[in-house]
Amino acid sequence: MEIDSVPGELQEDEYGGIAHSRKITDISYPSTGNDRCFQLEDKSFWFRHRNNCIMEAVRRYPPEGEILDIGGGNGYVTRRLLDEGFRAILLEPGITGAYNGKIKRNLSHVVICASLQDLSLRDAVVAAVGCFDVLEHIEDDEAFVADIARILQPGGMLYVTLPAKQCLWSASDIYAGHFRRHDEKSVSALLGGQFEVAYFTFFFGCLTLPLFLMKTIPYRLGISRERPNVWTHETEHGTDGGIAVSLLERILNKETRKIREGKSKPWGTSCLAVARRKL
């Protein structure tokens, strides 16, 4: 999908050179979410490991063209895709995320400040789509997936990451604007009508028990419903580094190798799927 295939109702911002829609659909995401994430992403073991897992999946199941990174926030994944030699476009409805991607992450190709609903793309115009922790923010996710299938070329790739296991639901999910968490069965049901799931795995396996103990149980007991985070965001993401984070990343690197080899992990706090648009 090149810039000349973007619908004419988009206009280019005079300051940042960002194509943006005249209309922006409301999304279930905190208004300060992109700003908060931008302060964490470059130093966070969580964002770093998620990127590593995504890249292994994309390398193993490469696209045949550009990847449209839908809801790509500050362009953290888009930037990595470009650095790895893939072609990618950031599509982000939040103006803060779009500007961070264009200016601070130096995404010089195409950055679009719009939602997929507002973009009105033609059928079968996109080679591949990435939705990285996006679908859980969409109440009618089935309609959203159908729209992705419509714009994808037959055989086009879809890469998704999602929060895993509904049994891990906590106040953090509510605060983040999530509607649900997922497992292999729910992902297959969500994608199965229009897609063939080529690969599925859980990841962040070593965080499952800590998340359950520190977030899910307090939520179920009614202890932490007003304060979703036990730790600060900086502590939770290990932005200061240290021995504990180094050890954690060594454990997480085993998951990256599994994805590289096409193997799957049976548990984790996140899940990753690769699917092909049915012909």
Side-chain angles (χ1 to χ4, degrees), residues 84 112 150 152 168 186:
E84 294 284 342
I112 304 170
R150 180 187 64 79
L152 267 176
L168 294 177
S186 68

Side-chain angles (χ1 to χ4, degrees), residues 57-119:
V58 174
R59 290 191 198 102
R60 189 168 184 86
Y61 301 92
E64 295 185 1
E66 288 176 316
I67 301 172
L68 182 63
D69 185 5
I70 296 177
N74 302 304
Y76 185 75
V77 179
T78 314
R79 179 71 267 168
R80 177 70 181 274
L81 287 166
L82 293 168
D83 291 344
E84 294 284 342
F86 297 100
R87 291 184 292 156
I89 294 172
L90 174 63
L91 174 62
E92 165 54 39
I95 188 62
T96 299
Y99 271 94
N100 285 341
K102 178 73 175 182
I103 297 169
K104 297 180 181 179
R105 297 222 185 276
N106 193 30
L107 300 178
S108 58
H109 183 34
V110 180
V111 177
I112 304 170
C113 182
S115 67
L116 179 60
Q117 300 96 311
D118 301 328
L119 204 52

Side-chain angles (χ1 to χ4, degrees), residues 37-236:
C37 285
F38 191 78
Q39 303 303 317
L40 300 170
E41 288 166 343
D42 291 330
K43 295 181 179 180
S44 164
F45 78 86
W46 191 94
F47 282 103
R48 188 159 52 245
H49 181 60
R50 188 188 67 161
N51 250 8
N52 291 339
C53 292
I54 291 168
M55 292 309 122
E56 294 297 344
V58 174
R59 290 191 198 102
R60 189 168 184 86
Y61 301 92
E64 295 185 1
E66 288 176 316
I67 301 172
L68 182 63
D69 185 5
I70 296 177
N74 302 304
Y76 185 75
V77 179
T78 314
R79 179 71 267 168
R80 177 70 181 274
L81 287 166
L82 293 168
D83 291 344
E84 294 284 342
F86 297 100
R87 291 184 292 156
I89 294 172
L90 174 63
L91 174 62
E92 165 54 39
I95 188 62
T96 299
Y99 271 94
N100 285 341
K102 178 73 175 182
I103 297 169
K104 297 180 181 179
R105 297 222 185 276
N106 193 30
L107 300 178
S108 58
H109 183 34
V110 180
V111 177
I112 304 170
C113 182
S115 67
L116 179 60
Q117 300 96 311
D118 301 328
L119 204 52
S120 303
L121 289 172
R122 300 192 304 270
D123 293 357
V125 73
V126 176
V129 164
C131 281
F132 305 116
D133 290 275
V134 171
L135 293 175
E136 67 274 16
H137 295 278
I138 310 296
E139 186 169 14
D140 190 353
D141 53 357
E142 292 184 0
F144 192 80
V145 167
D147 207 20
I148 291 174
R150 180 187 64 79
I151 66 172
L152 267 176
Q153 300 164 0
M157 304 303 297
L158 172 62
Y159 311 95
V160 300
T161 58
L162 297 151
K165 303 288 187 181
Q166 191 64 27
C167 64
L168 294 177
W169 185 267
S170 73
S172 291
D173 292 290
I174 298 171
Y175 177 74
H178 295 172
F179 288 100
R180 59 194 65 82
R181 300 178 73 93
H182 281 276
D183 55 25
E184 187 169 9
K185 183 178 179 180
S186 68
V187 170
S188 295
L190 178 60
L191 303 182
Q194 296 89 10
F195 293 89
E196 296 175 352
V197 178
Y199 177 73
F200 179 91
T201 188
F202 293 100
F203 62 110
F204 286 117
C206 60
L207 300 185
T208 306
L209 183 58
L211 189 152
F212 184 73
L213 293 175
M214 301 301 292
K215 292 193 175 186
T216 303
I217 288 181
Y219 172 76
R220 292 183 181 182
L221 294 175
I223 297 172
S224 65
R225 299 198 175 196
E226 298 299 324
R227 188 169 62 90
N229 291 315
V230 178
W231 307 289
T232 66
H233 293 298
E234 289 74 17
T235 299
E236 190 169 358

Side-chain angles (χ1 to χ4, degrees), residues 240-266:
D240 291 335
I243 296 175
V245 172
S246 296
L247 291 174
L248 179 59
E249 290 194 304
R250 288 187 182 184
I251 296 171
L252 293 174
N253 284 340
K254 295 179 181 179
E255 295 182 338
T256 311
R257 290 196 293 271
K258 278 183 175 289
I259 296 172
R260 185 182 309 140
E261 296 165 359
K263 298 177 182 178
S264 297
K265 190 176 182 68

